[in-house]
Structures are given as structure tokens and as C-alpha cells.
Amino acid sequence: MNTTQSTVFNDFLQWTRDNEWGYNGHFETRLSDGTQLTVWDSGVLVVEPAKTTDKDIVISCAVHGNETAPIEICRDIIQDIIAEKQPVIHRTLFLIANPASINVGRRFVEENMNRLFSGAHSEGGISNPERERAAKLEQYVKRFYQQVEGTNRRRYHYDLHTAIRDSKREKFAVYPFTHGKPYKKDQLLFLLACGVDTVLLNKAATTTFSYFSVNEFGADAFTVELGKVRPFGENNRDSFAAAERSLRQLIAQPEPQLPNFDPQQHFIFAEAQTINRMNQDFELNFADDVANFTAFEKGDLLATDGGEPIYAQHDAEHIIFPNAKVALGQRALLTVVRVPTDSLELV
């Protein structure tokens, strides 16, 4: 290896942070078992075993740069792969999505990247580095999924996050809109193995990274919230051990070892309201420290937008992702209601 290539593979995360908006070039190396490692860009690593299976797995982190626990998990898995301590038997793409926001320790630099996929990066006549990076990430996912031919390939994408605030249900996942396709028991069981027993069902298209993979490539994809935002080094890794162990097993074993499906082990919530901030004069009617999954009753005032009140429409309507400071037109609050797991169409 030359000096630069050695730096890339000695500390992939640090090299990625040193090239925060991308690197014009690629690097590759081969492990002793024939596994090919190829770096397409900063934060973009493709792992291809010598003998491939029918699975293509994408694991992404740092769409929001201050969500450090997923970054630490991906960093450690990547370095163990490079050191030949972590076996990989399925094609896997690792994405460290927004290195510049990692470097400034904020959710984003100029614009929330998780509102920029499915082409949203090219709308509105706006140009900034985060939009350019989102467009590139779309192309890397497309290239990865389409690089190997076959109509029966199984595609997966787990986009790892942590939430801004505390949550009454610490770990949860967002199941993107499936356009009428049934929900999958094996995916709910895999999430449960990650320590995620709570799932939110989106009822419409969004511009998130996980929905992009669902809609464009038919992947089983999820936004996975693993806890609360904390600085590097302050995460309780024991709290994330189940998720890391399950991700490591996912890429190392033919099939995850999952139990039989028990509907009572899963807590499923359906979208009730998506409340967007449409006016500068927007306020949430509860304190900043109110936790995700706090329940309100029908008729309770949730927010005011331009002086217009917005009320809970159901009893036990739970709030998720409240943020009054989002840009105009973006979601300031999602509300959800519990639905029985056995009421869903499951396969």
C-alpha cells in the first residue's frame, strides 16, 4: 500500500473526516480470504466476499453528524473487517453519510440531509454541499444494488440514528411507506434482536434515506433510532450491544438466528398526524424536555402555526421527533397511535 492507501485502511473514519466533502478517487485492497474492500469515496466502503450470496446489505450512519453511537458502531465493525477479525459473507456497503457534520458536532452543517433524498436535493433552486453529498449517496446506493445482476437478490438498508431527546421507548425504528406491500415478520424479528421492539409505520412517501432504498430498489429498509444523542466517548456501548451484535451477525451468517414470531413482543404505531412548520410563528405547546412517545388525549393543544391551533385527534396520541426550529415546510412533529400487531398484513 502507498502512504495514502495505508491511511485510509488504518483509520477509515479519521480519513473520512479529513476528507469531509468527498474524495475524488478510489482505493482497494484484498483480504487473505479473498474479500475485496473498495473505497468509492470518503465514508463509502464496499465489502465483497470472494463467494457472493443473494444478499446486498447497506449499513449507513452519520446522516446526522452528532448522532455518534451509530458512527462508533460502524467504525468498529469496519476496522474489524479490515483487521480480518469480522467475517463478511454478504456484499455490504458502509456509508458514513455526512462527515462535515461530524466534524462540527452538529446535526447538519446547512441543511437536514435526511430531508434531501429521492431527488429532494435538486428541488427549490438551492445548492449546498449537503445536497451534493446526498445526490452522491443516492448514486452509490444505486451502483451497489445494481452492480450484481439478478432479479431475485435480497436488498437491505439499515440507516442508524439516535434521537435528539429522551424517549419513553428508547429504541425504535421507522418502517417506511411500503406502497401497499405487506410488512415482514423477519424484519420485525431482526429489529427485535437489535433491541428495537417499537416500530412506527409511515403512511406516505418521505425524503428520508431509508425510504429512498425502499421506493427505488425494493429494499427492506429502516430508519433505526438506537437511543439519545451524546458526544463521542460518552455513549454507553452496553446499551447498543444488541444492535452491534445483530449487525455483525447479519453480515457474517447465512441467515440471522431469529426466534418464532410473537405479536405481543412488538409495539407497533401508525402515523396519526404529520405537522409541518408553515409559518415563522410556530410553537409547540409542551416543554423542550418532553420525551418522545409522550401521550396526549384527543383535543389537547399540540402546537400553534401562524396563530392556528393544532390539536390531538385521538386519545393516546403519542408525539415523536418534535422540533419547532425546523425549516419552513419541514416536519416539526409526528404523532402516532398504537395499533395491534396482529391487525397488520404480515408475511
Side-chain angles (χ1 to χ4, degrees), residues 55 154 156 158 175 183-193 220 222 255-256 258-259 261 266 346-347:
K55 289 186 180 182
R154 293 183 285 168
Y156 304 91
Y158 302 98
Y175 207 132
Y183 302 103
K184 295 189 177 179
K185 293 179 182 179
D186 65 336
Q187 290 302 297
L188 295 179
L189 286 170
F190 178 73
L191 292 170
L192 189 64
D220 292 314
F222 299 85
E255 298 294 337
L258 301 172
F261 185 76
H266 305 269
L346 295 166
V347 294

Side-chain angles (χ1 to χ4, degrees), residues 132-150:
E132 294 171 8
R133 178 74 172 178
K136 288 181 179 179
L137 292 172
E138 288 185 347
Q139 291 304 308
Y140 295 139
V141 171
K142 179 179 180 180
R143 177 179 171 185
F144 175 72
Y145 281 145
Q146 295 184 345
Q147 201 168 40
V148 178
E149 295 181 357

